[in-house]
Amino acid sequence: MSTLPVDLRSDTVTRPTPGMRRAMATAEVGDDLFGEDPTVRALEERVADLFGFPAGLFVPSGVMANQIALRLLAAPGQEVVCDAEAHILAHEEGSPARYGGIQTRTVSGERGLLTPGALERILRPGNAYTTGTRAVALEQTHTRAGGSVYPLETLRAVRRLTARAGVAVHLDGARIWNAHAATGTPLSAYGAPVADTLAVCLSKGLGAPVGSVLLMAAGHLARARSLRHGLGGGMRQAGILAAAGLHALDHHLERIAEDHEHASLLAAGLREAGCAARPPETNIVLVDTPGAEDVVGRAAREGVLVTAPGPDLVRLVTHMDVGRRACRRAVEVLAAVVPDSGRGTGGSAHAGPVQHWKESEVA
């Protein structure tokens, strides 16, 4: 078994690089709750400029960024429409209802992606007897659909539809960096032209240890800061954390394409070994298999960490701390523990290397 585990549970498990640690240690700081941390301000301005927004707010987590955005766009008792498998519903502890009093209504999108046609049938203006739709929430890339990417034209078409209906758009862009790397679409095109609010994560793909930035109109900023404080997200010398995000933008954004390449190699190797791995669009590989929790446990005992988002589904996520050699090890282990794969039904994970990689490819 490998000395260190191959951790494919999420792209949030990365460790700060030595360069990132130096940037954090030397960051200029101030009290951010008073708006006096220069490094936080620099990060907020940098990210806002990348996506064409006038204002940004640094927050501790993507969940907080999403929930502040929803409360900016919808009042208690109003409705937000989203995909049935959206992160804001599946992974955020019921926060729209719990903290915002917001009603959600769902549409089942193909690979998690909502189309203008599907939305047009569900948006409602509201009156004295019905709840009106105030916002649509989209997810780029879509986590539970395996990192699927919204085409830019679909985002533009949704924006045209919602504008006619007087409905706002929130874009949960936790992995929007991956969409940019996969398609080459400029970040500015994914920003203000297609959304009223946008949340981007610094600890997914970019490798920062913590933090997200919520982007919005300048008129929303004061209330967003108040909501952040009320949710316990007010920070003091937060420039130490913001410096990691700035370093990541300088050094890690361009390398995200490597994660996509590794995900494709993982999926191809698993299929070669007889596993039902779905072709990835970005850095998330989904494997259809019975007994997913058992597969997770057996793989962990062999030093490969993965997750089971469903009873018949295993997920692997590539990131900057996993190279080709680690990916090959993951294929060898999963080929041995996934039932009905070409390597048997869960025998030894030491049956020899999968031949998808040449030795020269796994350094």
Side-chain angles (χ1 to χ4, degrees), residues 11 82 208 283 338:
D11 45 8
C82 61
N283 67 322
V338 170

Side-chain angles (χ1 to χ4, degrees), residues 87-170:
H87 192 282
I88 63 169
L89 294 184
H91 299 287
E92 301 193 7
E93 308 295 332
S95 293
R98 181 186 297 184
Y99 300 116
I102 295 169
Q103 174 173 295
T104 53
R105 196 151 55 106
T106 62
V107 185
S108 293
E110 179 71 23
R111 297 178 301 112
L113 309 182
L114 303 184
T115 64
L119 287 170
E120 191 168 23
R121 290 190 293 271
I122 195 172
L123 299 183
R124 51 191 175 192
N127 54 36
Y129 307 103
T130 61
T131 299
T133 306
R134 294 302 308 137
V136 169
L138 310 176
E139 190 174 330
Q140 179 80 302
T141 67
H142 195 290
T143 300
R144 292 182 65 83
S148 56
V149 177
Y150 264 103
L152 179 59
E153 187 48 49
T154 300
L155 293 175
R156 288 170 170 167
V158 169
R159 181 64 159 176
R160 291 193 294 268
L161 169 68
T162 56
R164 291 195 301 270
V167 173
V169 174
H170 170 59

Side-chain angles (χ1 to χ4, degrees), residues 197-345:
T197 54
L198 167 63
V200 300
C201 188
L202 303 169
S203 61
K204 292 175 179 173
L206 289 179
V210 67
S212 288
V213 179
L214 173 61
L215 306 173
M216 70 204 90
H220 281 318
L221 184 58
R223 183 157 184 259
R225 291 182 67 87
S226 176
L227 289 169
R228 182 185 68 173
H229 186 252
L231 291 170
M235 298 176 285
R236 300 298 180 174
Q237 288 71 36
I240 293 173
L241 301 176
L246 287 168
H247 180 88
L249 290 171
D250 287 336
H251 299 281
H252 299 167
L253 180 56
E254 296 304 319
R255 60 143 307 279
I256 288 177
E258 297 175 18
D259 298 339
H260 299 177
E261 180 184 359
H262 293 157
S264 294
L265 287 169
L266 265 175
L270 288 167
R271 288 195 298 273
E272 180 184 294
C275 301
R278 305 179 194 176
E281 285 190 61
T282 50
N283 67 322
I284 300 176
V285 178
L286 298 178
V287 182
D288 296 288
T289 176
E293 289 289 353
D294 182 61
V295 169
V296 169
R298 294 173 70 89
R301 289 192 288 274
E302 297 293 340
V304 174
L305 307 181
V306 296
T307 61
D312 300 311
L313 192 64
V314 167
R315 187 182 86 152
L316 301 79
V317 184
T318 54
H319 50 79
M320 61 186 297
D321 285 357
V322 172
R324 292 191 175 195
R325 190 178 300 277
C327 289
R328 185 177 72 165
R329 175 61 186 162
V331 169
E332 292 172 351
V333 168
L334 288 168
V337 302
V338 170
D340 301 322
S341 73
R343 307 297 286 274
T345 56

